[in-house]
Amino acid sequence: AGSAAGVYMNTAAGTNNIISTTGIIAGGPHAIYGYGVSIDGGNLTLNVQSGGVVNGGTGSLRLNSAGTAAVTIASGGLVTGYVQASGTGARTFIINGALGGNYDAGAGANTAVDTITLGATGTVLNMTLGLGNDQFTYQGGGINGIVNAGAGTDAFISTLGAGNSSTLLLSRISAFETLTHTSGNLTLSGAAAAPALAIIAGNGANSGMVTLTGTTGLTGGITVNGAILRAATVGALGTGAITMIDPTIQ
């Protein structure tokens, strides 16, 4: 609780650095280290709880370690400002609050794996995930920019939960190889920023519904395996092959 100046860590490999806040962590104006939280060595666990704020004059987070980074933003928590994700360690973000700054893991030959979960109450801006084999799990939150998965084999997974619905603009997700829907009712719309995206409707069980409406530019294949697939407009399914394993197509 309370407020703190920016936190800088450079600890030995394997050291676990844990920060949990319901207050304000604010970095200064320094061009390199002016972040709320900055790390050059060791592992980081950061919990931004409801009411917590992390920001800085240059950005909110600087993740420049070979160690792991696990960041949780609770509903009501706010991380605002640029996120520099330049380290080689794996990064995990669980976002139920607001990530109010651009996330950049795209600098150089950064092959670190980014595993992002956007909860139903979470919001993100632009995210560049870099060269690793990244995963973005979508639970219905707000994507208010573009999530660019970069190079590698990258998966977008929709897990809305039974009875829940959400609409996703295909222009908001780029460079993903697959989009897999596993639960709830997902509506896809708009022009595809990743035309070759392979859509997998279902995971072999009762997996809800995928509706495509007004979608354009899709050339990737569609696999139907447990979810209902519905085309609400002419041509919405694109030009790729449709593979039917456990199909219900409307």
Side-chain angles (χ1 to χ4, degrees), residues 4-238:
V7 178
Y8 174 71
M9 294 155 287
N10 188 4
T11 56
T15 302
N16 295 319
N17 302 280
I18 301 173
I19 301 171
S20 184
T21 183
T22 57
I24 299 173
I25 301 176
H30 193 279
I32 298 176
Y33 300 110
Y35 293 81
V37 175
S38 180
I39 184 167
D40 278 321
N43 304 324
L44 172 66
T45 298
L46 173 62
N47 296 310
V48 183
Q49 300 179 48
S50 181
V53 177
V54 178
N55 59 27
T58 302
S60 56
L61 305 176
R62 177 177 172 270
L63 309 176
N64 193 47
S65 174
T68 60
V71 178
T72 300
I73 308 171
S75 179
L78 173 61
V79 173
T80 179
Y82 175 67
V83 177
Q84 178 186 321
S86 52
T88 57
R91 295 175 289 266
T92 301
F93 274 65
I94 299 173
I95 304 165
N96 291 301
L99 181 56
N102 292 337
Y103 179 97
D104 185 8
N110 188 342
T111 59
V113 174
D114 297 280
T115 303
I116 313 294
T117 299
L118 178 62
T121 58
T123 59
V124 297
L125 297 180
N126 297 305
M127 303 187 77
T128 300
L129 305 185
L131 301 182
N133 296 329
D134 307 305
Q135 178 176 302
F136 189 102
T137 299
Y138 176 70
Q139 298 176 340
I143 300 176
N144 299 322
I146 296 175
V147 179
N148 186 330
T153 302
D154 308 300
F156 188 100
I157 301 173
S158 167
T159 57
L160 301 178
N164 297 320
S165 301
S166 188
T167 297
L168 175 67
L169 293 174
L170 287 177
S171 60
R172 299 290 193 185
I173 59 171
S174 174
F176 286 93
E177 279 66 46
T178 58
L179 184 157
T180 301
H181 177 69
T182 65
S183 63
N185 299 319
L186 175 67
T187 298
L188 302 175
S189 66
L197 179 72
I199 296 174
I200 303 167
N203 60 354
N206 184 357
S207 305
M209 177 183 289
V210 177
T211 300
L212 290 86
T213 180
T215 50
T216 59
L218 286 172
T219 61
I222 299 176
T223 299
V224 187
N225 186 21
I228 297 171
L229 178 66
R230 179 173 180 263
T233 54
V234 175
L237 298 180

